[in-house]
Amino acid sequence: MHEIAPGIRHWTAPHPNIGTEVSSYWLPGLRVLLDPLAVPEEVDGVDAIVLSNRHHKRDAFEAAERFDAPVRVPRVGLHEFGDDEPVEPYDFEEPFADGAITAYQVTEYWPDDGALHIPSVSALAIADTVVNYGGIRFVPDHLMGDDPEAEKRDMKQTLARLAEELEFEHLLLAHGAPVPAEGRERLREFAAG
């Protein structure tokens, strides 16, 4: 684990289902874990575990037990969780985590896939709509629906709007490397391409 910017700690771990390295983040000043997998021992003082979409359960419930903290998930993804997986929903465009985070829906094609705006650490965290393995790009077409090109157009439109309207420097991706310092500019470039 390393600090990629003030107040943002990042680490990777191999995802047990897909086999690739995925990213997790700890925001110690906010006492928040984002999409945790294989949480390092040095992490402490966590008040909330936030999933950027319903698929990012990863080790969230183990972390919830370890830190006695709630797991926060998008309300539109609640159907993914059973009675034995207690979660607290959040709504898009409504601040949560004591007002520190506001989630935005990136595309109606993927109803619970979010972008989490975290102003106090100047970050935007993105669930699955884009990845950064050797460059920012979309997930492969076979992971999309019936009309990947329509999905990509819709996602680019929303990502361009978020990059224009929200203030942030750091782009925190759940899949692939984060983009510290120039994340907003890189997202703008991607959405314009």
Side-chain angles (χ1 to χ4, degrees):
M1 180 167 60
H2 61 285
E3 188 170 63
I4 61 164
I8 304 173
R9 307 236 177 115
H10 168 252
W11 73 94
T12 63
H15 192 288
N17 298 332
I18 61 176
T20 59
E21 293 282 319
V22 295
S23 289
S24 299
Y25 302 90
W26 176 37
L27 312 176
L30 297 177
R31 303 174 64 87
V32 167
L33 277 176
L34 298 178
D35 296 331
L37 177 64
V39 180
E41 284 301 315
E42 64 204 81
V43 173
D44 64 4
V46 172
D47 290 340
I49 295 120
V50 178
L51 307 189
S52 56
N53 73 22
R54 73 181 191 275
H55 298 299
H56 290 180
K57 289 181 188 181
R58 301 177 178 181
D59 288 338
F61 293 102
E62 291 86 345
E65 187 174 316
R66 174 177 160 189
F67 299 111
D68 191 27
V71 176
R72 304 296 309 269
V73 303
R75 184 177 303 279
V76 294
L78 282 176
H79 62 278
E80 185 83 8
F81 300 93
D83 292 339
D84 62 333
E85 298 174 315
V87 296
E88 293 182 10
Y90 61 78
D91 294 302
F92 291 126
E93 301 193 33
E94 294 292 329
F96 67 98
D98 294 327
I101 301 171
T102 302
Y104 296 89
Q105 184 182 54
V106 177
T107 178
E108 289 184 12
Y109 289 99
W110 305 359
D112 72 299
D113 209 67
L116 307 174
H117 186 225
I118 314 162
S120 66
V121 293
S122 193
L124 185 71
I126 295 182
D128 288 347
T129 48
V130 292
V131 300
N132 186 20
Y133 295 105
I136 296 175
R137 63 181 186 264
F138 289 118
V139 297
D141 285 0
H142 73 273
L143 296 175
M144 295 192 178
D146 294 334
D147 191 350
E149 293 309 312
E151 292 179 38
K152 291 175 193 177
R153 283 191 303 273
D154 186 58
M155 288 183 231
K156 278 191 173 187
Q157 182 179 15
T158 301
L159 293 172
R161 180 179 56 80
L162 294 176
E164 183 61 33
E165 294 177 1
L166 303 177
E167 293 289 331
F168 64 95
E169 298 174 76
H170 317 296
L171 188 60
L172 312 180
L173 300 166
H175 296 273
V179 183
E182 55 189 41
R184 186 178 185 190
E185 186 56 37
R186 296 268 304 280
L187 188 62
R188 276 183 176 142
E189 291 169 1
F190 172 79

